[in-house]
Amino acid sequence: MLKKFFFLFVFAFLSFFYSCSNSGTEDLSENSSSLKAAAEKKISGTDWTFELEKDRLTQDISTVNSIEKKIKLTPQVLLNSNYAAKLNPVYPYLEGFGSLDTSNFNSEIKKMSAEFASGLCKNQFSTAFFDASDIYELALFSLELKNRWKETFGLPYPGSEEEASEQSQLSSEQNSEKQNPAEQKGGEGTEKSEEKTVILFDEYLLGEPFEMNSLCEVPVRLVLKDTGFADIMLFFAKNTEGKWKIDQLQILKMQGKSETGENVDKSGR
């Protein structure tokens, strides 16, 4: 009786163990199967993007159809080939200013922009580019430029009384160091002050214009070497006589360098 009970116990134990083991296997199998099915469903339902340049890495770029294969390709060879003649030109681009592409510039507006910018560099605020009713725009521009000059560039406005005073003081100090008292006394009143040409900016750059109907916007960068620059916008419009005139101009940005060499941005309005 005891022996029969023992075998019954062993049989029940083994059955229970097999049932648990099989159950775990089936659960694992089901989980694996469901994850796989979900992954396959996700893959099949995804709209994959095709290669933009499928043969890019396998393409032979060592030759050009318009150049003899025996000739070694160099930048100079390409620039002088028919292949380069068909390529669109690439124009320089200044960050924060824009493209320097002036290929589509209206010839009349381009000439006026260049002459006006060249005059500004020499401290000449010509009213010839304005109608009589818009000359006040030039006066406001000149005043704003003067007011922001020292704050931006850390220098007195060229040609101002402040600059003249500083130059005079510097010149006196230099003369004192070079001459002795006797020479200074004998030379009093013998020197004549020479008028100097006032230079506001060293050069200018014309940016890509935007023209629409009877209006045109021209960005201009006025550069003061080793000091900073001023970006302005010229607004051209046709007057009642059909002639292009500047009817507005605006300082977009003035940027200089601090004593530490870091750029100091004095933004526009």
Side-chain angles (χ1 to χ4, degrees), residues 190-208:
T190 58
E191 293 184 0
K192 295 182 180 180
S193 59
E194 298 180 357
E195 293 185 2
K196 295 182 179 179
T197 303
V198 177
I199 300 297
L200 289 184
F201 299 96
D202 298 300
E203 60 182 349
Y204 68 88
L205 297 172
L206 298 182
E208 183 178 17

Side-chain angles (χ1 to χ4, degrees), residues 109-150:
I109 296 177
K110 184 177 183 179
K111 182 183 178 184
M112 292 177 65
S113 300
E115 290 178 354
F116 181 76
S118 178
L120 284 182
C121 290
K122 301 172 185 176
N123 195 35
Q124 298 171 1
F125 295 81
S126 176
T127 60
F129 305 97
F130 297 79
D131 278 332
S133 59
D134 296 321
I135 293 179
Y136 75 94
E137 289 281 351
L138 184 60
L140 293 176
F141 169 82
S142 175
L143 181 61
E144 183 180 2
L145 186 65
K146 291 179 180 179
N147 290 339
R148 294 171 58 180
W149 188 276
K150 188 169 185 178

Side-chain angles (χ1 to χ4, degrees), residues 45-246:
T46 302
D47 186 16
W48 297 99
T49 302
F50 294 100
E51 304 99 321
L52 296 177
E53 297 179 289
K54 184 177 181 181
D55 303 323
R56 180 65 175 174
L57 297 178
T58 59
Q59 186 179 5
D60 182 14
I61 58 174
S62 60
T63 61
V64 178
N65 293 334
S66 61
I67 301 177
E68 176 61 40
K69 293 183 179 180
K70 296 180 181 179
I71 300 177
K72 184 179 179 181
L73 293 183
T74 63
Q76 291 78 9
V77 170
L78 286 173
L79 287 174
N80 290 279
S81 68
N82 292 331
Y83 173 78
K86 298 177 182 178
L87 297 176
N88 294 326
V90 178
Y91 295 91
Y93 182 91
L94 293 181
E95 191 68 32
F97 179 71
S99 173
L100 301 183
D101 178 9
T102 58
S103 58
N104 295 322
F105 223 135
N106 178 295
S107 58
E108 182 182 357
I109 296 177
K110 184 177 183 179
K111 182 183 178 184
M112 292 177 65
S113 300
E115 290 178 354
F116 181 76
S118 178
L120 284 182
C121 290
K122 301 172 185 176
N123 195 35
Q124 298 171 1
F125 295 81
S126 176
T127 60
F129 305 97
F130 297 79
D131 278 332
S133 59
D134 296 321
I135 293 179
Y136 75 94
E137 289 281 351
L138 184 60
L140 293 176
F141 169 82
S142 175
L143 181 61
E144 183 180 2
L145 186 65
K146 291 179 180 179
N147 290 339
R148 294 171 58 180
W149 188 276
K150 188 169 185 178
E151 179 187 4
T152 303
F153 302 133
L155 299 170
Y157 188 80
S160 64
E161 294 182 0
E162 182 182 1
E163 187 198 38
S165 176
E166 288 188 7
Q167 291 292 338
S168 177
Q169 183 178 358
L170 179 62
S171 178
S172 298
E173 292 176 354
Q174 291 176 344
N175 290 334
S176 298
E177 293 175 357
K178 293 180 180 179
Q179 299 177 347
N180 57 43
E183 290 177 337
Q184 288 182 12
K185 185 176 181 180
E188 286 181 359
T190 58
E191 293 184 0
K192 295 182 180 180
S193 59
E194 298 180 357
E195 293 185 2
K196 295 182 179 179
T197 303
V198 177
I199 300 297
L200 289 184
F201 299 96
D202 298 300
E203 60 182 349
Y204 68 88
L205 297 172
L206 298 182
E208 183 178 17
F210 175 76
E211 183 178 351
M212 185 176 65
N213 299 328
S214 59
L215 300 173
C216 185
E217 298 177 0
V218 180
V220 181
R221 171 163 290 188
L222 303 166
V223 181
L224 191 59
K225 290 182 179 179
D226 302 323
T227 304
F229 62 85
D231 287 344
I232 68 174
M233 184 70 78
L234 304 180
F235 298 88
F236 287 84
K238 285 187 176 181
N239 59 14
T240 55
E241 299 176 358
K243 296 181 179 179
W244 287 104
K245 291 289 184 178
I246 301 176

